[in-house]
Amino acid sequence: RPSRLGSAFCTHRATRSRSSMPADLARASTTDLLAELKRRMESPPKKNIILVGPPGSGKGTQAPLIKDKYKLCHLATGDLLRAAVAAGTEMGKAAKEVMEKGGLVSDEIVIGIIKDNISTPDCGNGFILDGFPRTVVQAEKLDGMLTSEGVGHIDHVIEFKVPDATLVERICGRLIHPASGRSYHEKFHPPKVAGKDDETGEPLVKRKDDNEETLTKRLDAFHKQTKPVVDYYAKQGLYSPVDADRKADSVSATIAAILAK
C-alpha cells in the first residue's frame, strides 16, 4: 500500500502534467487530436523560396505551378506594392508618399509589406518571393525580419538561367493585344493573321521597351546586380541554378527535384 507521501507526490505530478498542457489540447477529444495529427502529417512541409531570373526566363510560368503544388503564397514585390497602396495600409501609404515624390521605395517599406503578407493564412505553408531581394543588404534585412517574426528562414534560392540571346529573341518578338492583355510571339506563338488579335482582329502592338538595345542594357544591369545576391545564398548552401532554356515541363521536373531535397 503506497504511503501518504507517495500518493501526494503522484497526485502532484499528475496535476502538474495536466496544467502544463495547452488548454486547447487538454480539452480536445482523442478523435480531434488524431485528425489534427493526420492533417499536419499530410500537409506539405513549409518552404520559403526565392525565384531569381530576368524578364522572359520563365518565372511567370513556373511560379503558379510551385504555388499550387506546395500550397504556398506568391509574393511578387511589384504587385505587393501596388496592392498595399490601393488598400491604404500603413506601409502602402508610406510607399505612395515616396512614389508621388518620384523617389525609390526604401528597403524597410518593401520588407514591411512582405512582413504584412507572410503573416496571412495564405502564407501558412511558406512563400515564393519574386523580385526581391536585389542586393545583399536587402537579403540580410530579409533574413533579420524572418528571424524576428519567427517564420523560419529561406530554404531555396532558384535562379532561372537562359542565354541572353535567347531572352532577346523571346522578348523582342512579343506582340500584345492592349485591350485584353493577350500576348503572342512572332516566332513561338504567332497570331493566325499577322499583326492581328485572334479573337477581335484588332491590331497587335509591341511594347516600347521590347527592343534589343533596351533589353540588352536591362540584362547587363540584372546580371551585375544579381551575382552578389546569388553568391550570398550560395555560401549558405541554398542556391540552385536551373537551365530554363528548355520546355516548361522539363524545367518543372528539375525544380521539383530541388525542392524535394
Side-chain angles (χ1 to χ4, degrees):
R1 177 179 170 181
S3 66
R4 289 183 179 177
L5 180 61
S7 298
F9 175 72
C10 291
T11 302
H12 170 70
R13 285 190 63 185
T15 302
R16 184 178 65 180
S17 176
R18 283 195 300 270
S19 64
S20 65
M21 290 177 66
D24 54 344
L25 290 181
R27 291 194 298 268
S29 68
T30 302
T31 302
D32 289 341
L33 287 172
L34 289 173
E36 175 63 13
L37 180 61
K38 182 174 183 290
R39 185 190 68 79
R40 293 188 185 187
M41 290 178 69
E42 290 178 349
S43 296
K46 186 168 185 174
K47 294 182 186 295
N48 296 328
I49 303 165
I50 293 173
L51 300 184
V52 180
S57 61
K59 287 186 304 175
T61 299
Q62 297 297 329
L65 301 176
I66 299 169
K67 173 186 174 181
D68 292 343
K69 182 173 182 178
Y70 298 98
K71 306 295 187 290
L72 309 177
C73 62
H74 181 205
L75 306 178
T77 48
D79 294 341
L80 293 182
L81 275 169
R82 285 186 286 273
V85 170
T89 66
E90 182 180 343
M91 287 295 168
K93 290 175 182 176
K96 183 179 180 181
E97 183 178 350
V98 172
M99 289 188 291
E100 285 179 344
K101 293 177 180 176
L104 292 174
V105 178
S106 69
D107 294 348
E108 284 70 27
I109 291 176
V110 176
I111 288 175
I113 291 173
I114 293 171
K115 174 183 169 182
D116 289 345
N117 280 269
I118 61 175
S119 62
T120 63
D122 285 348
C123 295
N125 288 329
F127 57 79
I128 302 166
L129 198 51
D130 182 357
F132 192 89
R134 297 190 178 192
T135 68
V136 172
V137 171
Q138 290 175 349
E140 291 171 341
K141 289 179 179 179
L142 175 65
D143 285 348
M145 183 273 286
L146 295 176
T147 299
S148 66
E149 292 300 301
V151 291
H153 49 78
I154 299 300
D155 299 295
H156 297 279
V157 177
I158 299 173
E159 182 178 11
F160 290 66
K161 305 282 280 185
V162 180
D164 284 0
T166 302
L167 293 172
V168 170
E169 184 179 31
R170 285 183 184 179
I171 291 175
C172 292
R174 288 194 300 198
L175 298 167
I176 308 295
H177 179 237
S180 68
R182 279 188 290 276
S183 63
Y184 301 84
H185 193 279
E186 292 171 336
K187 178 179 177 180
F188 304 116
H189 178 46
K192 294 173 183 175
V193 177
K196 304 289 185 181
D197 177 50
D198 286 352
E199 294 190 22
T200 66
E202 294 171 347
L204 300 175
V205 300
K206 281 195 172 188
R207 288 177 178 153
K208 186 178 178 181
D209 290 342
D210 284 357
N211 63 77
E212 186 169 351
E213 182 182 357
T214 301
L215 184 59
T216 300
K217 289 179 181 177
R218 287 175 64 194
L219 290 172
D220 184 53
F222 171 82
H223 295 314
K224 287 178 180 176
Q225 188 180 53
T226 301
K227 190 177 186 313
V229 178
V230 163
D231 290 345
Y232 172 81
Y233 288 114
K235 289 174 184 176
Q236 300 177 49
L238 303 176
Y239 170 68
S240 298
V242 170
D243 177 7
D245 190 16
R246 298 176 294 159
K247 290 183 178 180
D249 55 355
S250 297
V251 176
S252 294
T254 301
I255 292 173
I258 291 168
L259 297 181
K261 295 175 183 176

